Amino acid sequence: MLQGICIDTAATTVLERGKQYFLFPAGPNHYYVSKFPNANAHTGCFRKSLFQIVQEDEWPPEPSANNVPALDDSKVYKARLVWRTRGYRDTKLGMYYLRPSGTHAYFYYDKELKRHGGCFPLHWFADFREMDEEETETNEVVLETKAPKLETNEEMPENFEQMSIFDFVE
């Protein structure tokens, strides 16, 4: 997303000279122009020459692919996502669980590997740490040890009576 000031209206009634707009690339020579920072709320598609860029998003350079350690495809790793392309800006930088596959890795939000996030190149990640088998076990084991014990009929008082919400129906 860019921001720019209209320097020429090109005989359109939609643009105002001197007004600042949000600009979204639409091919090599055009922008989708919006009054809001939302590409889906654009007012039209106009030539780039009608705008003077005020602010351009800074994006850091991509990390080198030469610094990736050798990872075992059969193991699960925890690593920090340190970079992604502009197209994946909604994917937050932070810690993820990885299942390597060649030069890429499938990444997950949870250690049980149930919530899949996508597949990114390994050199977009840093601080790789192999997960122990104990760390990658599912929550089922944890739930079994922490589950409360259910009362049985033997522990119920003698004057106990089961109530039903449907007693009023005849």
Side-chain angles (χ1 to χ4, degrees):
M1 175 181 64
L2 306 169
Q3 290 185 10
I5 296 176
C6 178
I7 56 174
D8 184 8
T9 60
T12 65
T13 58
V14 177
L15 299 175
E16 294 178 37
R17 186 185 307 266
K19 186 169 181 181
Q20 188 166 331
Y21 293 96
F22 292 96
L23 309 173
F24 300 91
N29 300 319
H30 292 82
Y31 291 126
Y32 287 115
V33 179
S34 177
K35 296 178 184 178
F36 309 101
N38 182 347
N40 296 324
H42 66 85
T43 57
C45 188
F46 301 95
R47 292 189 318 268
K48 287 185 176 184
S49 61
L50 303 180
F51 301 92
Q52 178 182 2
I53 301 298
V54 175
Q55 173 191 347
E56 186 168 352
D57 286 345
E58 294 287 328
W59 205 259
E62 184 171 1
S64 172
N66 298 332
N67 298 332
V68 178
L71 302 176
D72 185 357
D73 290 355
S74 65
K75 296 185 179 180
V76 175
Y77 296 87
K78 187 174 185 178
R80 187 169 45 90
L81 180 64
V82 295
W83 192 86
R84 74 268 193 237
T85 63
R86 290 178 191 255
Y88 295 110
R89 74 176 67 222
D90 291 338
T91 303
K92 304 285 186 233
L93 298 177
M95 297 302 284
Y96 292 96
Y97 298 92
L98 308 179
R99 170 104 32 209
S101 178
T103 59
H104 287 65
Y106 295 99
F107 70 94
Y108 298 84
Y109 295 102
D110 59 337
K111 63 182 171 184
E112 292 81 21
L113 308 180
K114 302 241 186 244
R115 294 182 46 227
H116 185 256
C119 183
F120 286 161
L122 282 171
H123 67 275
W124 291 6
F125 294 92
D127 305 330
F128 294 91
R129 186 173 66 99
E130 184 179 333
M131 299 298 291
D132 295 335
E133 289 195 23
E134 293 175 2
E135 292 179 280
T136 58
E137 287 180 0
T138 62
N139 273 344
E140 295 169 1
V141 175
V142 175
L143 291 175
E144 288 176 3
T145 59
K146 293 184 179 180
K149 288 189 173 184
L150 298 175
E151 295 180 6
T152 62
N153 288 339
E154 296 170 2
E155 298 172 0
M156 297 289 180
E158 292 180 19
N159 59 356
F160 177 77
E161 180 181 338
Q162 178 68 43
M163 297 181 69
S164 174
I165 60 172
F166 300 106
D167 284 345
F168 64 89
V169 178
E170 294 182 15

